[in-house]
Amino acid sequence: MRDVADASGVSVKTVSRVVNGEPGVKPEVRDRVSAAAARLDYRHNLAASNLRRNAARTGVIGVLVQDVANSFSASLLRALEDAMRPHQMLLLAASLDETTAREQYIVENLISRRVDGLVLVPASARQDYLAPEIRRNFPIVFADRAPRGIDTDSVAIDHRLGGRMAVAHLLAHGHRRIAVLTDTETIATARDRRAGARDAFAAHGVEVPGDLVRSGVGSEELAGAAVNALRELPDPPTAIFSGRNTISKGVIRALTQRGERDSVAVVGFDDFPMSDVLGLSVIRQDVAQLGAAVGERLLARLSGDQSPPRHDLLSPQLIMRGSGEIPPSEISPPEPSA
Amino acid sequence: MRDVADASGVSVKTVSRVVNGEPGVKPEVRDRVSAAAARLDYRHNLAASNLRRNAARTGVIGVLVQDVANSFSASLLRALEDAMRPHQMLLLAASLDETTAREQYIVENLISRRVDGLVLVPASARQDYLAPEIRRNFPIVFADRAPRGIDTDSVAIDHRLGGRMAVAHLLAHGHRRIAVLTDTETIATARDRRAGARDAFAAHGVEVPGDLVRSGVGSEELAGAAVNALRELPDPPTAIFSGRNTISKGVIRALTQRGERDSVAVVGFDDFPMSDVLGLSVIRQDVAQLGAAVGERLLARLSGDQSPPRHDLLSPQLIMRGSGEIPPSEISPPEPSA
DNA sequence: AAAACCCCTGACAACGTTGTCACCGAGGGC
DNA sequence: GCCCTCGGTGACAACGTTGTCAGGGGTTTT
């Protein structure tokens, strides 16, 4: 900036005025400065600028998700970007891979960078470490999972309701031997979805088929293995509730290989690309809606909203595409009469 | 920082030393300062720090892709993140939506933020506006598309080869009426893929079926519409080369609705999640490999590599899953003998 | 005992920018 | 002709941090 000033024979302050488009500079001087800036390839330094304009915003928000390559996270990211774009804000995105340590490291790093806010799909079980930030009213919005150990805004899908809807749907179609495949116990959403499944059994007065409930199904491979194991049981499940999109993929792949796509009912949680073509019935969470709601909450906080934290729950939706409407297969032994 | 210094009775410089873990501070003092910092919720300001340590890195690289929600972009992002993670670098991600204006705006913004480098999947036709950055050796790596108007590193899939492979495969299975659906003319990759398709026709001495070549197919909906139109022709195509994953989705959806999934051959460009279950034959570009190569190039530049720009081409791979191996349907009128 | 050394610490300037204030000269009102 | 106003400009300090250098006190060397 000093160089530009020297080259155009004015003070640095005047260059600053030109660069920021402030009024009160003679057009002639303005042109001279602009020309010099262009000639010298001058690039405005936003970091220094923000440092000086003390209370100003950096125009960046941090987004921590599980894995930016996962369609859920990617859609969330995109919805947030769309929400932030009109406000000229950019996104610093990071994948956590369900790693608590990385979550804390990234959060700390982002705060040092003075991001204006955070969107967090937490990997950690508790987020007490954020207490100081909450105390000073730093905007943090939790997405898809509620905060624990602190209180701050969150927007999430009602996973429990979704799990309940899925299993209730299968029960309504006459299934009793329903397998429930969910991710690791430590993940709150997985717990909620399984709890919802249990709710549905209870509401229908059906005993939970304990031997068919599997948690810790954390990958496509594990899901496929689980399907194979379950279908080899003496009294195999006639329907499967798969608690996550990666699990659904493994389930469908395994069923396809076994030639059982048309005989075993499946309802998945999480829609994913092409599941319509696959005819997979799912509990759909509207990720775009989720992202938009999260963005809205964050923007409200950024513009000074001091109201108490809100915890919004969005209802998922059952999408019937065939796989969830398959009746119990006749191969399954008839239920003994009471 | 001054507050922490006052609270612990030392100078700001000593606080700086403690914060940065520099040696040469008495353990007792170090503890006192750390305690004060914790008590006052002190947060280190990386922006100011970087400003002072003049030539230092910000530890952020900008990544501009088409759409972070698209599986190609999302996977690229993830591969880059993995490449950068060991170097403690974070990613500022932005979606361009094939918009030239947004590309320039974001690039300018990121440069003002002093990102250490850029990864660009350009939306613009030419990138002359980057000339000053190239001149000062600012690290920019193009991904998936080569730069035009400037010369800098790029890593891309050989789209032309891929297009050729796809159509050659269909020709080898006896098809002659092969539809070629590609995205807008202005997108370089779409042009390359179509050119590859023409190469294949030429190499087989087959005349290009002009009435079946459609460009400007920019969405799933348009792809579906194109399929319907083409299949209603008096002499419909017996095979389809779909030049992009979104197009493939539209094609499959339309064929499914028409009940023609098993009678019309399809080879798609771009693998996407679940296409294996759909039995779709595709030209796969290894996005993870692409992202890793881009990351590697960028890291090399960041560590001072001054060699001339390189333009690497990665070969795509044909994955046969059934849809591309369907023979020409008999419904199609027999070719008139010569 | 003087000299040399080391450990620890702090004063100061500087990074690139902008807010504050003061200044200069031209024009307008009395 | 005097005072006031106002448009245009620049000097200076400050944002939060760290590199440089100097200094104080203790210990070791000669």
Side-chain angles (χ1 to χ4, degrees), chain B residues 1 13 16 20 42 44-45 52-53:
Chain B
M1 194 145 162
K13 178 61 205 185
S16 169
N20 289 295
Y42 166 75
H44 189 227
N45 186 329
R52 184 54 175 92
R53 313 189 216 255

Side-chain angles (χ1 to χ4, degrees), chain A residues 183-246:
Chain A
D183 207 331
T184 316
E185 260 324 282
T186 54
I187 301 176
T189 56
R191 278 199 307 273
D192 290 346
R193 292 173 191 178
R194 192 171 47 256
R198 287 180 194 280
D199 290 350
F201 283 118
H204 274 67
V206 174
E207 198 182 341
V208 177
D211 57 328
L212 302 182
V213 177
R214 303 281 163 95
S215 62
V217 184
S219 69
E220 285 192 33
E221 292 67 30
L222 288 174
V227 168
N228 286 326
L230 288 167
R231 288 293 298 169
E232 300 297 342
L233 288 177
D235 186 11
T238 62
I240 299 174
F241 165 47
S242 83
R244 190 179 161 187
N245 59 7
T246 50

Side-chain angles (χ1 to χ4, degrees), chain B residues 173-175 238 262-265 322-330:
Chain B
H173 278 76
H175 295 276
T238 63
D262 298 327
S263 52
V264 177
S323 77
E325 294 72 42
I326 296 171
S329 62
E330 293 117 31

Side-chain angles (χ1 to χ4, degrees), chain B residues 79-286:
Chain B
L80 277 170
E81 188 185 354
D82 290 341
M84 293 316 187
R85 186 180 300 195
H87 303 264
Q88 325 249 60
M89 309 197 81
L90 295 177
L91 266 44
L92 253 169
S95 302
L96 303 179
D97 296 321
E98 301 289 356
T99 311
T100 299
R102 183 151 172 83
E103 174 182 323
Q104 291 201 30
Y105 168 75
I106 301 274
V107 165
E108 191 180 337
N109 190 304
L110 292 178
I111 288 174
S112 281
R113 291 178 189 283
R114 295 293 186 273
V115 294
D116 295 332
L118 283 181
V119 171
L120 188 53
V121 180
S124 58
R126 297 179 59 83
Q127 296 82 36
D128 309 78
Y129 69 96
L130 285 173
E133 319 308 332
I134 303 298
R135 219 178 298 131
R136 65 184 170 94
N137 268 313
F138 180 73
I140 305 182
V141 179
F142 279 58
D144 193 44
R145 304 179 189 181
R148 305 190 69 182
I150 53 170
D151 191 20
T152 187
D153 289 323
S154 71
V155 185
I157 308 289
D158 191 336
H159 298 284
R160 185 159 184 165
L161 173 60
R164 178 175 179 153
M165 287 164 66
V167 171
H169 185 66
L170 292 169
L171 285 167
H173 278 76
H175 295 276
R176 291 300 175 267
R177 298 285 295 161
I178 302 173
V180 176
L181 305 185
T182 51
D183 207 331
T184 316
E185 264 318 290
T186 53
I187 301 177
T189 57
R191 279 199 306 272
D192 290 345
R193 292 173 191 179
R194 192 171 46 256
R198 289 183 194 279
D199 291 348
F201 283 118
H204 275 67
V206 175
E207 198 181 342
V208 177
D211 58 329
L212 303 182
V213 177
R214 303 281 163 94
S215 62
V217 185
S219 69
E220 285 192 35
E221 291 70 29
L222 288 173
V227 168
N228 286 325
L230 287 167
R231 289 292 297 169
E232 300 295 343
L233 288 177
D235 186 10
T238 63
I240 299 173
F241 166 47
S242 83
R244 189 177 163 189
N245 58 7
T246 51
I247 298 178
S248 300
K249 291 180 193 176
V251 167
I252 293 180
R253 196 167 278 129
L255 288 179
T256 304
Q257 280 166 7
R258 299 178 63 88
E260 299 176 342
R261 271 276 291 287
D262 298 327
S263 52
V264 177
V266 179
V267 174
F269 206 118
D270 271 9
D271 206 356
F272 57 85
M274 299 313 285
S275 51
D276 58 338
V277 173
L278 292 168
L280 178 68
S281 295
V282 293
I283 302 297
R284 171 189 288 169
Q285 17 182 359
D286 188 336

Side-chain angles (χ1 to χ4, degrees), chain A residues 70-124:
Chain A
N70 165 359
S71 68
F72 176 85
S73 303
S75 300
L76 179 64
L77 207 57
R78 179 59 206 250
L80 276 169
E81 187 184 356
D82 290 341
M84 293 316 186
R85 187 180 299 196
H87 303 265
Q88 325 248 62
M89 309 196 80
L90 295 176
L91 265 45
L92 251 168
S95 302
L96 303 179
D97 296 321
E98 302 288 358
T99 312
T100 300
R102 183 152 172 85
E103 173 182 323
Q104 292 201 29
Y105 168 75
I106 301 274
V107 165
E108 192 181 335
N109 190 304
L110 292 178
I111 288 174
S112 281
R113 293 180 188 282
R114 296 292 185 271
V115 295
D116 295 334
L118 283 180
V119 171
L120 187 54
V121 181
S124 57

